[in-house]
Amino acid sequence: MQDRKLAILVVEDHPFQLIAIQMHLNRMGFYHLTPALDADEARQACQRRTGPFDLFLCDINLPGTNGVALLEELAKSGRIQHAVLLSYQGEDELQTLEKHLQDIGLPVLACLSKPLDQAMLLRALDRESA
């Protein structure tokens, strides 16, 4: 899934972090990015798009909701194919959350610690291909 033509919905409520994530993804060769600062912007982006996003890259902590609830909503409505969630939580907590989300059938490739690590993201994208 490391196809650099992936359509990626990036949701991060801190504007500077959103820009930093987009720049990081651009340096990795991903250019088909749709940024959103909150759940409403993410929903609007999904409504404007004719098909699902290949990847949903989202901060877990969002104002008014959380990334897990938004992931569940967008996955159930067929708006996203795969997801990677980001947080400042510890690795053990993130691994537990990742397993739980996968066990309940959500399309989570990984729950990763911030700041976004290129190697860890690429490994997560490889999981889908395996």
Side-chain angles (χ1 to χ4, degrees):
M1 186 172 166
Q2 286 191 33
D3 178 3
R4 300 303 201 249
K5 294 182 181 173
L6 295 175
I8 303 174
L9 175 59
V10 182
V11 185
E12 169 58 64
D13 61 312
H14 294 95
F16 292 116
Q17 289 184 19
L18 179 60
I19 292 168
I21 291 170
Q22 289 178 93
M23 290 173 58
H24 193 69
L25 290 168
N26 286 162
R27 283 192 300 271
M28 294 171 65
F30 296 103
Y31 299 105
H32 301 283
L33 310 177
T34 301
L37 286 166
D38 58 32
D40 288 337
E41 284 187 16
R43 289 182 192 104
Q44 290 169 11
C46 287
Q47 289 173 352
R48 287 190 305 269
R49 189 168 169 78
T50 56
F53 282 94
D54 300 307
L55 181 65
F56 173 65
L57 185 64
C58 185
D59 184 5
I60 290 176
N61 299 308
L62 297 172
T65 188
N66 65 58
V68 174
L70 185 57
L71 161 66
E72 187 171 17
E73 174 188 334
L74 298 180
K76 286 185 177 183
S77 65
R79 302 290 188 167
I80 59 168
Q81 293 183 342
H82 301 283
V84 172
L85 297 178
L86 302 171
S87 179
Y88 287 113
Q89 295 174 353
E91 290 298 321
D92 290 342
E93 291 174 276
L94 290 172
Q95 287 178 354
T96 300
L97 177 61
E98 178 182 319
K99 181 172 180 355
H100 169 72
L101 295 175
Q102 290 169 343
D103 287 348
I104 63 172
L106 291 174
V108 175
L109 298 175
C111 293
L112 302 177
S113 184
K114 286 183 177 182
L116 182 61
D117 178 90
Q118 177 176 336
M120 292 182 81
L121 177 61
L122 292 176
R123 274 196 299 277
L125 295 177
D126 278 343
R127 288 181 201 157
E128 193 280 328
S129 303

